[in-house]
Amino acid sequence: SSLQSTEENGHQYEQLRSLLNNTKHEDQQPGLSFNEVLRTRTAICIVCWSIAFGACLDSYSVFIPPFAESIGLSSQVGALALSVSGLALMIGNLTLGFFADRFGHTLAMKVCMVALTCACIGWPFCKSEWSLILVSCCVGYFFTCTSLFVSILTNAYEHTAKGCIMTVTGFVYAVRCPGLLIGPA
């Protein structure tokens, strides 16, 4: 009886050990490395956009009040433009999140990219209070794309690059930082 109990415990121990080894193996599946992920078209597009985003739009909130003053508007108009941008960002996070869930994160990202590119092109041509507020509203609303990076990268690589997905995400956010040092071109 004790011999049978010892054999059962040994068998259970081996099953548990096998299960733990399989679990460990599952977490360390061979997949894409960090360098391999960065060579994919999706990652290259997101990194390039992130660099441009950092050079133009990350600095928007820093440069909009002085820009307002440089075109002859008051600093209060610059502050109002920032407030409108913040309100539009809040609304954009709610509505574009729904849009992304319904129609796809990649499509939502493309829409945001096009709209923000148009806002960047339009920003230097703002000469009145209303044009500046309109551009600020667009920038704020479509600035939501910064949160779409994570979902797109996760959707694209969650099964093939489990070991480095957060490293890639961190890299995408890090390449935006030099834009704050340079400012808008």
Side-chain angles (χ1 to χ4, degrees), residues 18 34 55 81 83 90 94 99-100 107 136 148-149 178:
S18 173
F34 177 73
S83 296
M90 183 177 67
L94 296 172
F99 179 85
L107 178 60
S136 292
L148 292 173
F149 287 134

mmCIF file of all heavy atoms in Angstrom, residues 18 34 55 81 83 90 94 99-100 107 136 148-149 178:
data_model
loop_
_atom_site.group_PDB
_atom_site.id
_atom_site.type_symbol
_atom_site.label_atom_id
_atom_site.label_comp_id
_atom_site.label_asym_id
_atom_site.label_seq_id
_atom_site.Cartn_x
_atom_site.Cartn_y
_atom_site.Cartn_z
ATOM 1 N N SER A 18 6.392 17.885 -15.703
ATOM 2 C CA SER A 18 6.184 17.978 -17.141
ATOM 3 C C SER A 18 5.334 19.192 -17.493
ATOM 4 O O SER A 18 5.619 19.920 -18.439
ATOM 5 C CB SER A 18 5.523 16.699 -17.646
ATOM 6 O OG SER A 18 5.181 16.822 -18.989
ATOM 7 N N PHE A 34 13.994 41.070 -31.576
ATOM 8 C CA PHE A 34 13.798 42.525 -31.624
ATOM 9 C C PHE A 34 14.223 43.064 -32.995
ATOM 10 O O PHE A 34 13.484 43.817 -33.628
ATOM 11 C CB PHE A 34 14.611 43.178 -30.496
ATOM 12 C CG PHE A 34 14.554 44.667 -30.485
ATOM 13 C CD1 PHE A 34 13.405 45.324 -30.076
ATOM 14 C CD2 PHE A 34 15.646 45.409 -30.858
ATOM 15 C CE1 PHE A 34 13.348 46.706 -30.058
ATOM 16 C CE2 PHE A 34 15.602 46.790 -30.845
ATOM 17 C CZ PHE A 34 14.445 47.439 -30.438
ATOM 18 N N ALA A 55 8.924 65.007 -33.947
ATOM 19 C CA ALA A 55 9.494 66.246 -34.450
ATOM 20 C C ALA A 55 8.442 67.332 -34.640
ATOM 21 O O ALA A 55 8.764 68.517 -34.561
ATOM 22 C CB ALA A 55 10.208 65.984 -35.765
ATOM 23 N N ALA A 81 -6.253 77.754 -27.202
ATOM 24 C CA ALA A 81 -5.966 76.716 -28.197
ATOM 25 C C ALA A 81 -5.509 75.430 -27.505
ATOM 26 O O ALA A 81 -5.922 74.332 -27.889
ATOM 27 C CB ALA A 81 -4.914 77.204 -29.187
ATOM 28 N N SER A 83 -6.301 74.528 -24.432
ATOM 29 C CA SER A 83 -7.473 73.977 -23.732
ATOM 30 C C SER A 83 -8.381 73.237 -24.698
ATOM 31 O O SER A 83 -8.876 72.151 -24.385
ATOM 32 C CB SER A 83 -8.248 75.092 -23.030
ATOM 33 O OG SER A 83 -7.458 75.679 -22.028
ATOM 34 N N MET A 90 -9.637 64.413 -25.139
ATOM 35 C CA MET A 90 -10.516 63.592 -24.309
ATOM 36 C C MET A 90 -11.648 62.993 -25.155
ATOM 37 O O MET A 90 -11.924 61.797 -25.079
ATOM 38 C CB MET A 90 -11.111 64.433 -23.174
ATOM 39 C CG MET A 90 -11.972 63.641 -22.219
ATOM 40 S SD MET A 90 -12.594 64.633 -20.860
ATOM 41 C CE MET A 90 -13.692 65.758 -21.697
ATOM 42 N N LEU A 94 -12.267 58.781 -26.519
ATOM 43 C CA LEU A 94 -13.515 58.026 -26.382
ATOM 44 C C LEU A 94 -14.063 57.583 -27.732
ATOM 45 O O LEU A 94 -14.395 56.420 -27.929
ATOM 46 C CB LEU A 94 -14.555 58.867 -25.636
ATOM 47 C CG LEU A 94 -14.201 59.227 -24.195
ATOM 48 C CD1 LEU A 94 -15.207 60.226 -23.642
ATOM 49 C CD2 LEU A 94 -14.134 57.990 -23.333
ATOM 50 N N PHE A 99 -14.194 53.741 -32.661
ATOM 51 C CA PHE A 99 -13.958 53.582 -34.095
ATOM 52 C C PHE A 99 -12.920 52.483 -34.347
ATOM 53 O O PHE A 99 -13.103 51.636 -35.220
ATOM 54 C CB PHE A 99 -13.483 54.913 -34.700
ATOM 55 C CG PHE A 99 -13.200 54.851 -36.169
ATOM 56 C CD1 PHE A 99 -14.218 55.020 -37.095
ATOM 57 C CD2 PHE A 99 -11.911 54.626 -36.640
ATOM 58 C CE1 PHE A 99 -13.964 54.961 -38.459
ATOM 59 C CE2 PHE A 99 -11.636 54.563 -37.992
ATOM 60 C CZ PHE A 99 -12.670 54.737 -38.903
ATOM 61 N N ALA A 100 -11.833 52.495 -33.562
ATOM 62 C CA ALA A 100 -10.771 51.499 -33.725
ATOM 63 C C ALA A 100 -11.278 50.092 -33.422
ATOM 64 O O ALA A 100 -10.942 49.140 -34.134
ATOM 65 C CB ALA A 100 -9.590 51.840 -32.821
ATOM 66 N N LEU A 107 -6.865 50.869 -39.476
ATOM 67 C CA LEU A 107 -7.610 51.906 -40.186
ATOM 68 C C LEU A 107 -7.697 53.175 -39.342
ATOM 69 O O LEU A 107 -7.505 54.287 -39.854
ATOM 70 C CB LEU A 107 -9.018 51.415 -40.547
ATOM 71 C CG LEU A 107 -9.915 52.440 -41.247
ATOM 72 C CD1 LEU A 107 -9.290 52.888 -42.561
ATOM 73 C CD2 LEU A 107 -11.313 51.887 -41.466
ATOM 74 N N SER A 136 -5.931 73.301 -33.532
ATOM 75 C CA SER A 136 -5.735 72.736 -32.189
ATOM 76 C C SER A 136 -6.759 71.656 -31.894
ATOM 77 O O SER A 136 -6.431 70.637 -31.270
ATOM 78 C CB SER A 136 -5.830 73.833 -31.131
ATOM 79 O OG SER A 136 -4.748 74.711 -31.243
ATOM 80 N N LEU A 148 -2.786 54.114 -30.083
ATOM 81 C CA LEU A 148 -3.015 53.041 -31.049
ATOM 82 C C LEU A 148 -1.732 52.285 -31.395
ATOM 83 O O LEU A 148 -1.787 51.146 -31.834
ATOM 84 C CB LEU A 148 -3.653 53.596 -32.326
ATOM 85 C CG LEU A 148 -5.080 54.102 -32.179
ATOM 86 C CD1 LEU A 148 -5.526 54.791 -33.466
ATOM 87 C CD2 LEU A 148 -6.018 52.971 -31.828
ATOM 88 N N PHE A 149 -0.560 52.914 -31.190
ATOM 89 C CA PHE A 149 0.698 52.225 -31.452
ATOM 90 C C PHE A 149 0.742 50.890 -30.723
ATOM 91 O O PHE A 149 1.092 49.868 -31.287
ATOM 92 C CB PHE A 149 1.897 53.050 -30.955
ATOM 93 C CG PHE A 149 2.237 54.252 -31.778
ATOM 94 C CD1 PHE A 149 2.504 55.462 -31.168
ATOM 95 C CD2 PHE A 149 2.311 54.173 -33.147
ATOM 96 C CE1 PHE A 149 2.846 56.572 -31.910
ATOM 97 C CE2 PHE A 149 2.646 55.283 -33.902
ATOM 98 C CZ PHE A 149 2.916 56.485 -33.275
ATOM 99 N N PRO A 178 13.664 62.637 -29.410
ATOM 100 C CA PRO A 178 14.512 63.670 -30.016
ATOM 101 C C PRO A 178 13.716 64.816 -30.645
ATOM 102 O O PRO A 178 14.218 65.924 -30.739
ATOM 103 C CB PRO A 178 15.312 62.898 -31.069
ATOM 104 C CG PRO A 178 15.353 61.508 -30.550
ATOM 105 C CD PRO A 178 14.020 61.307 -29.873
#
